C-alpha cells in the first residue's frame, strides 16, 4: 500500500529499529514506548486490521505468535509480557496495518481501560 507507513517500514523504505525479520514478518521498536520493552510485530503483507483476517491470510497471524514467543525469550521477558492488538476506531487503532504490540519488563494494569463514569 503506497501510503502505509508500516508497509514502508517492512520494505525498508523508512528507518526503524528492527529486532527481527523474515520473509513474512518484521518486528521493530515502537517510536513511543509504553513499557521498557515495546516492540511491534507486523506482517509484511498489507492487512488493514484484525477485522480483515480471513482463512486465506490467517497463516501469518499464527507465524506472528511464533515470532512473539521467540522474541519474548530473546528480549528477556521470562517474567511475562502482554500482547495487544488495537482494532478500529473504538479499539484506538492509529496505524491501519495489522500489528501486535509486545510489551514487557513492567507490571501491567488490569483491566486495561478506565471504568465508565
Ligand atoms: P496503534 O495505536 O495500535 O495503531 O499503534 C500504532 C503504534 O505505532 C503506536 O504505538 C505508535 O507509537 C507506533 N508507530 C507509529 N509510527 C511508527 C514508526 N515510524 N516507527 C515505530 N513505531 C511507530
Amino acid at each position: 500500500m503506497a501510503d502505509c507507513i508500516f508497509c514502508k517500514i517492512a520494505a525498508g523504505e523508512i528507518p526503524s529499529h528492527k529486532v527481527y525479520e523474515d520473509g513474512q514478518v518484521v518486528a521493530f521498536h515502537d517510536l513511543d514506548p509504553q513499557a521498557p520493552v515495546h516492540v511491534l510485530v507486523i506482517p509484511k503483507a498489507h492487512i488493514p486490521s484484525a477485522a480483515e483476517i480471513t482463512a486465506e491470510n490467517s497463516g501469518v497471524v499464527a507465524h506472528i505468535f511464533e515470532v512473539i514467543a521467540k522474541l519474548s525469550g530473546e528480549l528477556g521477558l521470562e517474567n511475562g509480557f502482554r500482547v495487544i492488538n488495537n482494532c478500529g476506531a473504538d479499539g484506538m487503532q492509529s496505524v491501519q496495518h495489522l500489528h501486535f504490540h509486545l510489551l514487557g519488563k513492567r507490571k501491567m494494569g488490569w483491566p486495561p481501560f478506565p471504568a465508565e463514569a
Side-chain angles (χ1 to χ4, degrees), residues 29-73:
H29 287 287
D30 196 291
L31 266 187
D32 182 21
Q34 302 302 310
V37 171
H38 186 171
V39 163
L40 301 173
V41 189
I42 70 168
K44 287 188 168 178
H46 186 80
I47 300 171
S49 80
E52 276 80 25
I53 295 170
T54 65
E56 284 69 41
N57 65 20
S58 62
V60 73
V61 179
H63 184 56
I64 282 171
F65 276 84
E66 290 171 23
V67 170
I68 286 170
K70 172 182 152 64
L71 286 175
S72 73

